[in-house]
Structure formats: C-alpha cells, structure tokens
Amino acid sequence: MGNEIPSSHFKPEDLKRFNERLQQETKIIDKWFSQDKFASERKMFGYELEAWLIDKNYQPAPVNEQFLKALNNPLVVPELASFNIELNSLPQHLSGHVFSDMQQNLNQIFNLCRQQAQLLGSDMLAIGILPTVRKSDLSLQNMSNSPRYQALNEQVLRMRHGRPLNINIKGDEHLCVQHDDVMMEAAATSFQLHLQVPLSLAVRYYNAAIILSGSMVAATGNSPFLFGKHLWAETRIPLFEQAVSVGGHSTDDEGGLKRVFFGTGYTRDSLFECFQENLDHFPVILPVLFEDSPDRLPHLRLHNGTIWRWNRPLIGFDEQGEPHLRIEHRVISAGPSVVDTVANAALFAGAVKSLVALPRPPELDLTFNHARHNFYQAARLGLEADLYWLGDQQVDARSHILQQLLPLARSGLERLDISSHDTQYYLDIIDQRVRNGQTGANWQQRYAAKHDYDMQALTAAYAKLQQSGKPVHEWPI
C-alpha cells in the first residue's frame, strides 16, 4: 500500500488484467520458494512509526501536506488522514549497539518533525489512538490528498455495496457507531517492525511472531480510549479490524475472511501459503496496472498490501534487485515515548530469535487457537489478561512477561550479539513497566480516572511526558 497510484478510477477490464498479472506473479514466487531464490540471513530489521499532528488544543491538525512539503524528508510520508504521518527507518543490522543507535536516530527524526510541526502552529504526538479525536475529524475532507487513499475508500464502499461500516466495541463501556467511509482506520496508529528472514527459517519466524503477538500486546498497549469511551486496553485492534471491514470471496461482508485479521493458522511448509491464500480468498481492491517486469511483483505486492494480517509476510528487493523475505509485526501501538518504542523493538527481536532457536518448534506446543485467544485477551485486558503459553499452560500476563518472555528476549539478544549494555538497558525498561503495572494504556486509564475523564487534559499531560523522554513506567499520574 506504500506506493502511489496514478488514479482512483478503474474499469472492469482493469480488474481482469490485474487478476491475470497477479496469478502470473504468484506462479513466479511459487518457483522462487521451491528454488530458494531469496536472500540468505543478514539479520536486517527496520520499522515504521505512525504519529499524529496536533494543534494547540491537542486536537488533530490536518496539515500533513504542508508539513511534508516543508520537511522534505523521504523517510517521513503521509498516512490515510491529513493529520497522520509515518516515520520510517533505513534497514539496520541487528547486532551490537543497534538499539541505542535506533534511539538516537528516532529521537533525531522525532525532534526534526516536532520542530517543523511547530513552525505550522502544531506539534507531533505518537499514541495509539488520540484521546481527543472526534468522529467529525474522521471525515473525507481530512483524507490525505492521494489517489491511493481515495481509491481505497471508493473500492471498499463498492465492495460493501455502499453500506456503512459498523464499529461495535464492547469494553468497560460500549461504543457502537456507523461510519460512511474508511476514515475510522485513521484513528489507529501503530509501530510496525520489519524483520528480514532467510527462507530456511521463514516459517519458524512467522509462526514465532504469531505466538508472541498476545504477549507483545499485553506489554505494549497504548490506546484505551476512543471518543471519550473507555474500551479495550488496546482499542486500536478491534477498531482497525472493523474500520476496513471487507471480507474475502463471499456474497456479503460478514462472510469470508476479514481483510484485517489474525490469520487462519500457522504456516506449515512455506510462507508461499499466505500468498496463495491472498490469491484464493481475497478479491482485489485496487486493480492498478503497472508496467514493471512481472519479476518485480508489482501486482502481488500491492494486493498483499491491502490484506492486513497482524503478522504479514512481505517480499522486498535490495539495491542489487535480489528478493528477500520479511515478517512485518504489526501488533504494537505507537508511543508512549521514544525509549519505550525502542524497548518494545528489543523485546520482540530477542524473543522471536529465541523461539526460532528452540530445538522443538514452539507452534507444536501452543495451538493456533490459543495464540489467537492470547492476542484478543491481551488487547482487551492488557496486563490483566490470562494467557496460554507453551505446553498450553495458563499464566497471567504479568508473570508470563517477567518469568518467560524477558528471559527469552535476553537469550535471543545475546544470540544476536547485541551489546550487553543495550540488552540490559532496554529490557530493564520492559521489566520495570510490567512490575509497576504501567503500560501506556494503564497510565492513560489512571490519569483519566483521576482527572474526571478530561480527554484534553489527558492528551496535554501525555504530550508533555512524551516530550520529557522518560519511559512510561516513570510517568506520574
């Protein structure tokens, strides 16, 4: 979905030709998987961090076009709404002082963005869901000026036969609203990790990322409020799933597979299974025709970008044109602070490395249904969730993170030759966060309860504390 498209209007023959090219490109990668055509292990990783532009009243500021033009940085790009932007990293080698380097680089680009936003009378904030966002902000007039997003909206509504999208989230309170376009998706911002994996271990990495999803959501939740209602610890997850509610091949949107979903199971033999599932079960949303060579996979990659698994396999190309495989781990919320963001990355990178290195594949010891249960329980309840772990034992989230997840992460970071300073420093942040019981979601819940659920005051306090650079477990209420 990251590439711009020339137009938002399509003809029936565009869809026919797109499907032909998608089938052709799916056959090409089928050969690549069987003939081992992908790059070998290079321990590369990167990230995308979505953020909000806000005005002096801590409301969304729809100024990303002016902001991006003035900033003129290829690593900062628009998102669906004109009050959202995305900060991207260059690929980094997963070793040594990579996480302290990541913190330095992220701080630098974060500060550049804030300075540029301030010149426009606004500021930037990283948070899963902005507590002050209103339903009226999520309108087509605040859509980013891009044919890609216009096309996405038009095609989703076409596939829904013009029916509105229903947002129905039952948490501590109940939110039930209808929306006439896809702009509700813009209320959910995340921190997405990309991990390059070798073909020989790709299935292990993908399944390990699925296994870790519930644990990661429990440890990193940061979006408990939407439209002033206290919903899930990580409300971003049900919101995103319902905001682009177009199923797979079916006569109505309630049938078939959802476009935003946890997945249908572990992969067994190859990540190709996901791309075959894309072809078999998901109608094309954006039938954009490209002139690129089929072996650059333009149609396959665009189609994959409109299917939002919470752990998504990607095919990319390096500067020499060699294809590689990546796992995109999409479950982590944006925020609360830069150092928390880096700690979340270290936790995932270490834990996934350890799971992959286990002599017995861990997916044999945790059913997919239990992994999925963990994900939604953690999204609902955060650190208060009860989770299943290997051997299908039941554990409470806090004990699980302290006794199982953090040791896995430490061992994995050692295997990656991450500096002992980085390992100790960033994993200690997770340890303290969990011991204090204060994720971003917990802090927001406590602050709101103490201050009469004043969403503007909550956002103002959050912004000040994020700018202090302190990790969230040190934030006062």
Side-chain angles (χ1 to χ4, degrees), residues 267-287:
T267 48
R268 295 185 179 186
D269 302 311
S270 163
L271 291 191
F272 178 71
E273 293 156 26
C274 294
F275 294 97
Q276 187 67 53
E277 185 176 79
N278 289 356
L279 181 69
D280 293 344
H281 293 287
F282 292 97
V284 170
I285 288 186
L286 297 176

PDB file of all heavy atoms in Angstrom, residues 267-287:
ATOM      1  N   THR A 267       1.794 -21.203   9.405  1.00  0.00           N
ATOM      2  CA  THR A 267       2.236 -21.753   8.123  1.00  0.00           C
ATOM      3  C   THR A 267       2.897 -23.109   8.395  1.00  0.00           C
ATOM      4  O   THR A 267       3.513 -23.318   9.442  1.00  0.00           O
ATOM      5  CB  THR A 267       3.225 -20.819   7.398  1.00  0.00           C
ATOM      6  OG1 THR A 267       4.231 -20.410   8.305  1.00  0.00           O
ATOM      7  CG2 THR A 267       2.525 -19.593   6.859  1.00  0.00           C
ATOM      8  N   ARG A 268       2.768 -23.999   7.434  1.00  0.00           N
ATOM      9  CA  ARG A 268       3.281 -25.357   7.641  1.00  0.00           C
ATOM     10  C   ARG A 268       4.610 -25.580   6.945  1.00  0.00           C
ATOM     11  O   ARG A 268       5.591 -25.988   7.555  1.00  0.00           O
ATOM     12  CB  ARG A 268       2.261 -26.379   7.138  1.00  0.00           C
ATOM     13  CG  ARG A 268       0.971 -26.339   7.951  1.00  0.00           C
ATOM     14  CD  ARG A 268       0.009 -27.421   7.551  1.00  0.00           C
ATOM     15  NE  ARG A 268      -1.197 -27.357   8.356  1.00  0.00           N
ATOM     16  CZ  ARG A 268      -2.171 -28.240   8.306  1.00  0.00           C
ATOM     17  NH1 ARG A 268      -2.071 -29.266   7.472  1.00  0.00           N
ATOM     18  NH2 ARG A 268      -3.238 -28.127   9.067  1.00  0.00           N
ATOM     19  N   ASP A 269       4.630 -25.310   5.646  1.00  0.00           N
ATOM     20  CA  ASP A 269       5.827 -25.634   4.867  1.00  0.00           C
ATOM     21  C   ASP A 269       6.524 -24.407   4.295  1.00  0.00           C
ATOM     22  O   ASP A 269       7.723 -24.439   4.038  1.00  0.00           O
ATOM     23  CB  ASP A 269       5.455 -26.577   3.710  1.00  0.00           C
ATOM     24  CG  ASP A 269       4.798 -27.849   4.211  1.00  0.00           C
ATOM     25  OD1 ASP A 269       5.360 -28.459   5.149  1.00  0.00           O
ATOM     26  OD2 ASP A 269       3.735 -28.221   3.696  1.00  0.00           O
ATOM     27  N   SER A 270       5.767 -23.331   4.072  1.00  0.00           N
ATOM     28  CA  SER A 270       6.341 -22.195   3.341  1.00  0.00           C
ATOM     29  C   SER A 270       5.456 -20.968   3.508  1.00  0.00           C
ATOM     30  O   SER A 270       4.219 -21.090   3.614  1.00  0.00           O
ATOM     31  CB  SER A 270       6.444 -22.563   1.855  1.00  0.00           C
ATOM     32  OG  SER A 270       6.605 -21.422   1.059  1.00  0.00           O
ATOM     33  N   LEU A 271       6.075 -19.777   3.498  1.00  0.00           N
ATOM     34  CA  LEU A 271       5.291 -18.541   3.514  1.00  0.00           C
ATOM     35  C   LEU A 271       4.490 -18.360   2.226  1.00  0.00           C
ATOM     36  O   LEU A 271       3.582 -17.525   2.170  1.00  0.00           O
ATOM     37  CB  LEU A 271       6.207 -17.324   3.699  1.00  0.00           C
ATOM     38  CG  LEU A 271       6.878 -17.155   5.062  1.00  0.00           C
ATOM     39  CD1 LEU A 271       7.512 -15.774   5.168  1.00  0.00           C
ATOM     40  CD2 LEU A 271       5.903 -17.353   6.206  1.00  0.00           C
ATOM     41  N   PHE A 272       4.804 -19.151   1.213  1.00  0.00           N
ATOM     42  CA  PHE A 272       4.014 -19.093  -0.017  1.00  0.00           C
ATOM     43  C   PHE A 272       2.531 -19.359   0.270  1.00  0.00           C
ATOM     44  O   PHE A 272       1.661 -18.867  -0.450  1.00  0.00           O
ATOM     45  CB  PHE A 272       4.546 -20.100  -1.047  1.00  0.00           C
ATOM     46  CG  PHE A 272       3.741 -20.121  -2.319  1.00  0.00           C
ATOM     47  CD1 PHE A 272       3.803 -19.064  -3.213  1.00  0.00           C
ATOM     48  CD2 PHE A 272       2.890 -21.185  -2.601  1.00  0.00           C
ATOM     49  CE1 PHE A 272       3.037 -19.065  -4.371  1.00  0.00           C
ATOM     50  CE2 PHE A 272       2.129 -21.201  -3.756  1.00  0.00           C
ATOM     51  CZ  PHE A 272       2.203 -20.132  -4.649  1.00  0.00           C
ATOM     52  N   GLU A 273       2.255 -20.127   1.326  1.00  0.00           N
ATOM     53  CA  GLU A 273       0.868 -20.433   1.676  1.00  0.00           C
ATOM     54  C   GLU A 273       0.052 -19.151   1.883  1.00  0.00           C
ATOM     55  O   GLU A 273      -1.127 -19.090   1.520  1.00  0.00           O
ATOM     56  CB  GLU A 273       0.829 -21.292   2.951  1.00  0.00           C
ATOM     57  CG  GLU A 273       1.411 -22.687   2.757  1.00  0.00           C
ATOM     58  CD  GLU A 273       1.911 -23.319   4.052  1.00  0.00           C
ATOM     59  OE1 GLU A 273       1.402 -22.945   5.139  1.00  0.00           O
ATOM     60  OE2 GLU A 273       2.805 -24.187   3.981  1.00  0.00           O
ATOM     61  N   CYS A 274       0.669 -18.117   2.454  1.00  0.00           N
ATOM     62  CA  CYS A 274      -0.047 -16.843   2.678  1.00  0.00           C
ATOM     63  C   CYS A 274      -0.365 -16.167   1.349  1.00  0.00           C
ATOM     64  O   CYS A 274      -1.466 -15.615   1.168  1.00  0.00           O
ATOM     65  CB  CYS A 274       0.785 -15.906   3.539  1.00  0.00           C
ATOM     66  SG  CYS A 274       1.027 -16.480   5.234  1.00  0.00           S
ATOM     67  N   PHE A 275       0.587 -16.204   0.412  1.00  0.00           N
ATOM     68  CA  PHE A 275       0.362 -15.553  -0.877  1.00  0.00           C
ATOM     69  C   PHE A 275      -0.665 -16.317  -1.716  1.00  0.00           C
ATOM     70  O   PHE A 275      -1.437 -15.716  -2.460  1.00  0.00           O
ATOM     71  CB  PHE A 275       1.694 -15.387  -1.620  1.00  0.00           C
ATOM     72  CG  PHE A 275       2.624 -14.440  -0.916  1.00  0.00           C
ATOM     73  CD1 PHE A 275       3.624 -14.912  -0.076  1.00  0.00           C
ATOM     74  CD2 PHE A 275       2.480 -13.067  -1.066  1.00  0.00           C
ATOM     75  CE1 PHE A 275       4.470 -14.042   0.594  1.00  0.00           C
ATOM     76  CE2 PHE A 275       3.317 -12.182  -0.405  1.00  0.00           C
ATOM     77  CZ  PHE A 275       4.318 -12.667   0.426  1.00  0.00           C
ATOM     78  N   GLN A 276      -0.675 -17.639  -1.565  1.00  0.00           N
ATOM     79  CA  GLN A 276      -1.712 -18.429  -2.233  1.00  0.00           C
ATOM     80  C   GLN A 276      -3.083 -18.118  -1.636  1.00  0.00           C
ATOM     81  O   GLN A 276      -4.077 -18.003  -2.357  1.00  0.00           O
ATOM     82  CB  GLN A 276      -1.403 -19.930  -2.093  1.00  0.00           C
ATOM     83  CG  GLN A 276      -2.328 -20.836  -2.893  1.00  0.00           C
ATOM     84  CD  GLN A 276      -2.159 -20.678  -4.401  1.00  0.00           C
ATOM     85  OE1 GLN A 276      -1.042 -20.780  -4.910  1.00  0.00           O
ATOM     86  NE2 GLN A 276      -3.248 -20.398  -5.119  1.00  0.00           N
ATOM     87  N   GLU A 277      -3.129 -17.956  -0.309  1.00  0.00           N
ATOM     88  CA  GLU A 277      -4.380 -17.581   0.359  1.00  0.00           C
ATOM     89  C   GLU A 277      -4.842 -16.209  -0.123  1.00  0.00           C
ATOM     90  O   GLU A 277      -6.038 -15.984  -0.350  1.00  0.00           O
ATOM     91  CB  GLU A 277      -4.153 -17.569   1.872  1.00  0.00           C
ATOM     92  CG  GLU A 277      -5.406 -17.319   2.697  1.00  0.00           C
ATOM     93  CD  GLU A 277      -5.126 -17.427   4.188  1.00  0.00           C
ATOM     94  OE1 GLU A 277      -4.590 -16.462   4.774  1.00  0.00           O
ATOM     95  OE2 GLU A 277      -5.440 -18.482   4.772  1.00  0.00           O
ATOM     96  N   ASN A 278      -3.891 -15.278  -0.316  1.00  0.00           N
ATOM     97  CA  ASN A 278      -4.236 -13.952  -0.856  1.00  0.00           C
ATOM     98  C   ASN A 278      -4.955 -14.088  -2.195  1.00  0.00           C
ATOM     99  O   ASN A 278      -5.965 -13.431  -2.457  1.00  0.00           O
ATOM    100  CB  ASN A 278      -2.975 -13.106  -1.079  1.00  0.00           C
ATOM    101  CG  ASN A 278      -2.327 -12.645   0.208  1.00  0.00           C
ATOM    102  OD1 ASN A 278      -2.831 -12.873   1.293  1.00  0.00           O
ATOM    103  ND2 ASN A 278      -1.185 -11.988   0.073  1.00  0.00           N
ATOM    104  N   LEU A 279      -4.399 -14.937  -3.056  1.00  0.00           N
ATOM    105  CA  LEU A 279      -4.951 -15.117  -4.405  1.00  0.00           C
ATOM    106  C   LEU A 279      -6.313 -15.805  -4.354  1.00  0.00           C
ATOM    107  O   LEU A 279      -7.244 -15.404  -5.051  1.00  0.00           O
ATOM    108  CB  LEU A 279      -3.965 -15.951  -5.241  1.00  0.00           C
ATOM    109  CG  LEU A 279      -4.358 -16.223  -6.688  1.00  0.00           C
ATOM    110  CD1 LEU A 279      -4.320 -14.939  -7.517  1.00  0.00           C
ATOM    111  CD2 LEU A 279      -3.437 -17.285  -7.306  1.00  0.00           C
ATOM    112  N   ASP A 280      -6.432 -16.821  -3.504  1.00  0.00           N
ATOM    113  CA  ASP A 280      -7.640 -17.658  -3.495  1.00  0.00           C
ATOM    114  C   ASP A 280      -8.821 -17.013  -2.771  1.00  0.00           C
ATOM    115  O   ASP A 280      -9.972 -17.275  -3.125  1.00  0.00           O
ATOM    116  CB  ASP A 280      -7.340 -19.008  -2.822  1.00  0.00           C
ATOM    117  CG  ASP A 280      -6.382 -19.863  -3.626  1.00  0.00           C
ATOM    118  OD1 ASP A 280      -6.180 -19.556  -4.823  1.00  0.00           O
ATOM    119  OD2 ASP A 280      -5.808 -20.823  -3.054  1.00  0.00           O
ATOM    120  N   HIS A 281      -8.543 -16.203  -1.757  1.00  0.00           N
ATOM    121  CA  HIS A 281      -9.622 -15.803  -0.839  1.00  0.00           C
ATOM    122  C   HIS A 281      -9.909 -14.310  -0.778  1.00  0.00           C
ATOM    123  O   HIS A 281     -10.890 -13.913  -0.161  1.00  0.00           O
ATOM    124  CB  HIS A 281      -9.319 -16.313   0.574  1.00  0.00           C
ATOM    125  CG  HIS A 281      -9.364 -17.807   0.683  1.00  0.00           C
ATOM    126  ND1 HIS A 281     -10.542 -18.512   0.657  1.00  0.00           N
ATOM    127  CD2 HIS A 281      -8.369 -18.726   0.785  1.00  0.00           C
ATOM    128  CE1 HIS A 281     -10.278 -19.802   0.746  1.00  0.00           C
ATOM    129  NE2 HIS A 281      -8.973 -19.958   0.824  1.00  0.00           N
ATOM    130  N   PHE A 282      -9.054 -13.479  -1.386  1.00  0.00           N
ATOM    131  CA  PHE A 282      -9.249 -12.035  -1.243  1.00  0.00           C
ATOM    132  C   PHE A 282      -9.426 -11.369  -2.597  1.00  0.00           C
ATOM    133  O   PHE A 282      -8.481 -11.324  -3.401  1.00  0.00           O
ATOM    134  CB  PHE A 282      -8.077 -11.404  -0.492  1.00  0.00           C
ATOM    135  CG  PHE A 282      -8.018 -11.833   0.941  1.00  0.00           C
ATOM    136  CD1 PHE A 282      -7.187 -12.873   1.335  1.00  0.00           C
ATOM    137  CD2 PHE A 282      -8.820 -11.232   1.890  1.00  0.00           C
ATOM    138  CE1 PHE A 282      -7.144 -13.292   2.653  1.00  0.00           C
ATOM    139  CE2 PHE A 282      -8.789 -11.640   3.215  1.00  0.00           C
ATOM    140  CZ  PHE A 282      -7.949 -12.672   3.592  1.00  0.00           C
ATOM    141  N   PRO A 283     -10.621 -10.839  -2.859  1.00  0.00           N
ATOM    142  CA  PRO A 283     -10.811 -10.107  -4.108  1.00  0.00           C
ATOM    143  C   PRO A 283      -9.916  -8.867  -4.134  1.00  0.00           C
ATOM    144  O   PRO A 283      -9.636  -8.267  -3.099  1.00  0.00           O
ATOM    145  CB  PRO A 283     -12.290  -9.732  -4.089  1.00  0.00           C
ATOM    146  CG  PRO A 283     -12.723  -9.851  -2.668  1.00  0.00           C
ATOM    147  CD  PRO A 283     -11.835 -10.848  -2.019  1.00  0.00           C
ATOM    148  N   VAL A 284      -9.487  -8.499  -5.313  1.00  0.00           N
ATOM    149  CA  VAL A 284      -8.607  -7.340  -5.481  1.00  0.00           C
ATOM    150  C   VAL A 284      -9.381  -6.060  -5.155  1.00  0.00           C
ATOM    151  O   VAL A 284     -10.502  -5.863  -5.630  1.00  0.00           O
ATOM    152  CB  VAL A 284      -8.073  -7.300  -6.928  1.00  0.00           C
ATOM    153  CG1 VAL A 284      -7.363  -5.981  -7.224  1.00  0.00           C
ATOM    154  CG2 VAL A 284      -7.159  -8.498  -7.175  1.00  0.00           C
ATOM    155  N   ILE A 285      -8.773  -5.206  -4.336  1.00  0.00           N
ATOM    156  CA  ILE A 285      -9.394  -3.915  -4.008  1.00  0.00           C
ATOM    157  C   ILE A 285      -8.910  -2.831  -4.973  1.00  0.00           C
ATOM    158  O   ILE A 285      -9.694  -2.000  -5.428  1.00  0.00           O
ATOM    159  CB  ILE A 285      -9.066  -3.494  -2.557  1.00  0.00           C
ATOM    160  CG1 ILE A 285      -9.825  -4.357  -1.550  1.00  0.00           C
ATOM    161  CG2 ILE A 285      -9.442  -2.032  -2.318  1.00  0.00           C
ATOM    162  CD1 ILE A 285      -9.665  -3.907  -0.106  1.00  0.00           C
ATOM    163  N   LEU A 286      -7.599  -2.836  -5.268  1.00  0.00           N
ATOM    164  CA  LEU A 286      -7.014  -1.766  -6.104  1.00  0.00           C
ATOM    165  C   LEU A 286      -6.411  -2.372  -7.374  1.00  0.00           C
ATOM    166  O   LEU A 286      -5.237  -2.753  -7.385  1.00  0.00           O
ATOM    167  CB  LEU A 286      -5.929  -1.028  -5.316  1.00  0.00           C
ATOM    168  CG  LEU A 286      -6.371  -0.278  -4.054  1.00  0.00           C
ATOM    169  CD1 LEU A 286      -5.166   0.322  -3.334  1.00  0.00           C
ATOM    170  CD2 LEU A 286      -7.380   0.799  -4.387  1.00  0.00           C
ATOM    171  N   PRO A 287      -7.190  -2.470  -8.456  1.00  0.00           N
ATOM    172  CA  PRO A 287      -6.668  -3.086  -9.686  1.00  0.00           C
ATOM    173  C   PRO A 287      -5.825  -2.113 -10.520  1.00  0.00           C
ATOM    174  O   PRO A 287      -6.127  -1.797 -11.652  1.00  0.00           O
ATOM    175  CB  PRO A 287      -7.942  -3.513 -10.418  1.00  0.00           C
ATOM    176  CG  PRO A 287      -8.981  -2.552  -9.967  1.00  0.00           C
ATOM    177  CD  PRO A 287      -8.623  -2.141  -8.567  1.00  0.00           C
TER     178      PRO A 287
END
